Amino acid sequence: MSKRDAILKTAARLFAVQGFDGTTTIQIAREAGVTEPLIYYHFKGKDDLFTHIIAATFSEYFSRIDDLEQNPDSPFGQIQKLIELQYDIAEEMPNEVQLIANTCPTRLNDPEDICAGNVKKYRSRLLGYLTRSISEGVRSGEFDQVPIEETAILIISVMNGTVRYRRMNPDPEKNLRDAAVEFCRRSLMKASTQGS
């Protein structure tokens, strides 16, 4: 791992655990095994570090959404893959996801903030992806008739809520990923197609 990457990973962990305001560049440097001037060589400061972490995390997420959209599946398969993606990102980037969950809500009122634009895009991408998948499933007869947008919002809430719950209550015995998929399957699919 490069020193720049070590700085970013360490900053993400410390920001997630201690909060942005509770973390100093001196502490980041010490824990990343670099000097503080090296941080300023790569980044303008703590705000710039935060911006890079948020931008990279959302970029990775949106890239994976693009991959899902490029490889269509059955309507329910599309929804299942999105749920699995949500959990994969949370497991692969736990500090970054926690940082976004803890920090971004307080920044949403500032349209210039890195969080505001990315959270708006996140909501729009998920809502669009899910409404297309649900509409296709209803049209094809795979799904029961459901209110499309409201159901999409509920699925987003289930995904976000179970990821947040899992982060705060890490119990390896509880498989919330599969439970969320099964909950959505039972909620959407016609009884005659649920075993497919």
Side-chain angles (χ1 to χ4, degrees):
M1 175 184 312
S2 72
K3 290 187 178 189
R4 185 180 187 280
D5 289 341
I7 292 167
L8 286 166
K9 281 291 182 194
T10 302
R13 179 177 52 79
L14 291 173
F15 291 160
V17 173
Q18 299 175 176
F20 178 80
D21 292 331
T23 303
T24 66
T25 53
I26 292 171
Q27 183 182 21
I28 294 168
R30 184 175 51 246
E31 295 204 21
V34 300
T35 63
E36 190 179 25
L38 189 61
I39 290 175
Y40 288 98
Y41 173 78
H42 290 290
F43 305 98
K44 294 175 187 166
K46 201 164 73 161
D47 287 326
D48 193 34
L49 266 169
F50 177 82
T51 298
H52 274 81
I53 293 164
I54 298 299
T57 304
F58 276 108
S59 177
E60 176 65 21
Y61 186 82
F62 296 143
S63 172
R64 292 194 193 185
I65 293 283
D66 291 342
D67 290 345
L68 291 183
E69 291 174 335
Q70 297 300 318
N71 299 295
D73 200 337
S74 68
F76 188 75
Q78 293 171 30
I79 293 169
Q80 180 174 353
K81 285 180 179 177
L82 181 65
I83 293 168
E84 291 169 351
L85 167 63
Q86 197 85 352
Y87 280 87
D88 289 346
I89 290 284
E91 288 175 12
E92 294 167 22
M93 306 173 88
N95 294 319
E96 293 84 349
V97 169
Q98 184 170 340
L99 176 60
I100 289 168
N102 292 348
T103 308
C104 284
T106 62
R107 296 171 170 240
L108 297 180
N109 290 332
D110 179 0
E112 302 298 315
D113 190 274
I114 184 85
C115 286
N118 278 295
V119 168
K120 183 177 180 180
K121 183 177 177 184
Y122 166 84
R123 289 175 179 162
S124 175
R125 291 288 305 268
L126 288 185
L127 191 59
Y129 181 94
L130 286 167
T131 55
R132 284 189 301 277
S133 299
I134 295 165
S135 295
E136 185 182 325
V138 169
R139 254 191 326 276
S140 72
E142 182 180 342
F143 296 166
D144 283 323
Q145 286 286 41
V146 294
I148 307 294
E149 188 170 342
E150 292 85 346
T151 303
I153 292 168
L154 287 172
I155 292 171
I156 293 168
S157 299
V158 166
M159 289 188 315
N160 289 338
T162 54
V163 166
R164 189 171 295 123
Y165 179 87
R166 175 93 167 118
R167 198 176 59 249
M168 295 184 318
N169 302 287
D171 182 351
E173 298 298 314
K174 288 188 172 68
N175 187 343
L176 295 178
R177 170 195 291 223
D178 290 348
V181 168
E182 193 54 35
F183 175 80
C184 290
R185 182 186 314 280
R186 287 192 314 270
S187 300
L188 290 169
M189 304 210 33
K190 288 190 172 184
S192 61
T193 62
Q194 284 194 25
S196 308

